[in-house]
Amino acid sequence: MDADAASFANAVLTWQRRYGRHDLPWQQQDAYRVWLSEVMLQQTQVNTVIPYYQNFLTRFPDLKELADASIDEVLQHWQGLGYYARARNLHKAAIIIRDQHQGCFPRDFAELEVLPGIGRSTAGAILSFAFGQRWPILDGNVKRVLARCFRVPGWYGQSATMKQLWYLAEAVTPGEYTAEFNQAMMDIGSMICVKSKPKCEACPLKDMCASYRHHSQAEYPQKKPQRVKPHKRTLMLLHRCDEQILLWRRPPSGIWGGLWSLPEVDEASAVELWQQSFLSIVQSPRALQQDVIRHQFSHYSLDISLAIIELEALPDGISDTENYAWVDTKDIGKHGLPTPVRKILSLLQE
DNA sequence: AATGCGTGGGT
DNA sequence: TACCCAAGCAT
């Protein structure tokens, strides 16, 4: 490590001891808990994660409990947190560790990074936080600190930019106190080097920050030119019979993969054909719900229309008993549902 | 290499 | 309001 990198690390570590966060629930914990927290924290803010982390740990207190559980129950505990592939991959990785690593977390970077849901940054976080090894991390906070400090051009989606950021992350990471350093970089990013109006006067890197020197903090990181968010629409079918509601298990990949939801068709004219195929009945909804529910994803917005169909009796057969189920309203909570569907069904209870 | 993948909070 | 984007990864 050269002198510049050493002074960078020293400034960061000195700041951390006094101002950094030391009381997060996953700090000073075992690899399982560090891993769980890191996956939950992918693209998700600390305050959102904390209650999910606690609740998840209560049900799955260790790796074996997680590996032995059903994916349905794992997704149930993940519902509302988003990016559900994380939960599916978490479960897959738990099974691999149980079956191929004797239930012990790999301490080797290459073995860790091939596990589903564990990329370069998460592997670095686990190895540094849980095992004290020297590996850099590169989350949104660290990216922003480095992009500003070294005036890295481009935006995060660009491979050249990411390559440069990883190079810098590697270069500034000290061989000692790596966990403290990694934590410090995230803390500086989330507390000092914030997206808008960074608190540069309080920053330990003020003296070596190129953006501060050039008064160009607002220009880094550069923003990706964004395109218009597409609009999509769907029609969800709410079949009710007494207290029973028909739910559909979504395919294991794609949006809301593996979650239970309401059956969908493209438009109202397709409802009867759908019923004929899946329920062997035909009963049109009295009327479509007039209000559409507009749900915003990061990459598109979705207008959800709702058709409520009241049935006198439960249809005899469902053509696909694996992916369709009549669920009592009081048992809805046992299923992992997309957030807008959860809201629709909770309105029904009132 | 660029895009798909959730949700909620901040501005 | 509309937009940004957060403890990223998989493909």
Side-chain angles (χ1 to χ4, degrees):
Chain A
M1 168 180 301
D2 63 35
D4 287 342
S7 58
F8 187 105
N10 283 335
V12 165
L13 284 167
T14 301
W15 179 89
Q16 175 69 11
R17 288 174 192 123
R18 178 159 177 193
Y19 300 107
R21 292 177 292 191
H22 301 275
D23 53 357
L24 294 169
W26 41 82
Q27 291 182 309
Q28 312 297 326
Q29 300 290 335
D30 60 26
Y32 172 73
R33 294 177 182 221
V34 170
W35 170 52
L36 174 63
S37 72
E38 289 300 328
V39 173
M40 284 188 165
L41 287 160
Q42 289 167 4
Q43 299 297 97
T44 310
Q45 298 184 3
V46 168
N47 287 337
T48 302
V49 164
I50 288 176
Y52 279 90
Y53 174 81
Q54 305 286 19
N55 187 46
F56 199 96
L57 267 185
T58 300
R59 170 58 189 88
F60 310 108
D62 56 42
L63 187 132
K64 179 164 168 48
E65 290 286 344
L66 177 58
D68 291 346
S70 71
I71 182 58
D72 266 356
E73 201 180 354
V74 175
L75 283 169
Q76 178 201 337
H77 286 78
W78 206 273
Q79 69 166 334
L81 196 55
Y83 284 147
Y84 299 97
R86 295 183 294 175
R88 302 193 300 270
N89 286 331
L90 193 79
H91 188 233
K92 287 180 193 165
I95 291 171
I96 293 172
I97 295 169
R98 181 195 63 190
D99 295 345
Q100 300 178 21
H101 297 275
Q102 295 76 46
C104 295
F105 251 85
R107 298 185 175 221
D108 176 79
F109 185 91
E111 288 185 35
L112 210 48
E113 203 192 14
V114 297
L115 293 173
I118 299 182
R120 183 172 178 182
S121 189
T122 300
I126 293 170
L127 290 178
S128 62
F129 290 136
F131 301 129
Q133 297 182 24
R134 178 185 175 277
W135 294 97
I137 61 170
L138 192 59
D139 76 325
N141 293 306
V142 180
K143 286 181 208 167
R144 194 169 49 254
V145 172
L146 293 175
R148 281 184 175 146
C149 192
F150 298 99
R151 297 217 298 172
V152 177
W155 53 90
Y156 300 150
Q158 293 181 301
S159 56
T161 301
M162 295 306 294
K163 185 177 176 184
Q164 178 73 6
L165 289 171
W166 271 115
Y167 173 84
L168 290 166
E170 166 68 33
V172 298
T173 301
E176 291 184 313
Y177 303 106
T178 307
E180 290 81 355
F181 177 84
N182 284 344
Q183 184 65 50
M185 290 293 282
M186 292 192 286
D187 290 351
I188 291 168
S190 69
M191 298 164 66
I192 305 286
C193 196
V194 291
K195 180 176 54 174
S196 64
K197 300 179 182 174
K199 310 172 195 326
C200 298
E201 295 308 320
C203 184
L205 297 171
K206 179 170 62 168
D207 294 339
M208 28 192 146
C209 179
S211 287
Y212 181 76
R213 193 158 58 244
H214 291 265
H215 308 287
S216 60
Q217 300 94 319
E219 296 167 35
Y220 295 91
Q222 294 172 356
K223 288 169 190 164
K224 174 182 180 174
Q226 66 194 41
R227 59 189 62 177
V228 183
K229 189 189 283 190
H231 280 261
K232 300 186 182 184
R233 63 190 178 89
T234 188
L235 174 56
M236 291 190 174
L237 307 180
L238 179 54
H239 287 87
R240 295 185 70 181
C241 182
D242 279 334
E243 294 301 301
Q244 307 286 102
I245 289 173
L246 183 62
L247 293 185
W248 168 53
R249 191 211 310 266
R250 301 183 61 92
S253 64
I255 195 76
W256 297 329
L259 294 189
W260 288 87
S261 188
L262 291 170
E264 292 179 33
V265 294
D266 288 335
E267 50 189 327
S269 64
V271 172
E272 295 190 354
L273 181 59
W274 184 91
Q275 291 174 330
Q276 190 58 253
S277 316
F278 289 93
L279 298 179
S280 305
I281 58 144
V282 168
Q283 177 168 346
S284 298
R286 291 209 187 93
L288 296 186
Q289 193 105 344
Q290 285 309 307
D291 305 335
V292 298
I293 299 134
R294 176 156 294 177
H295 186 72
Q296 298 288 351
F297 294 106
S298 46
H299 45 317
Y300 63 91
S301 65
L302 180 66
D303 283 347
I304 302 172
S305 300
L306 188 62
I308 301 179
I309 300 117
E310 304 275 1
L311 299 177
E312 296 296 328
L314 275 187
D316 288 335
I318 299 178
S319 67
D320 179 0
T321 55
E322 182 72 16
N323 296 308
Y324 290 88
W326 290 98
V327 177
D328 197 288
T329 52
K330 71 176 190 303
D331 295 327
I332 292 287
K334 297 177 185 170
H335 292 70
L337 306 177
T339 292
V341 175
R342 165 82 46 206
K343 288 177 182 170
I344 289 169
L345 295 183
S346 67
L347 287 176
L348 222 56
Q349 303 300 308
E350 296 172 355

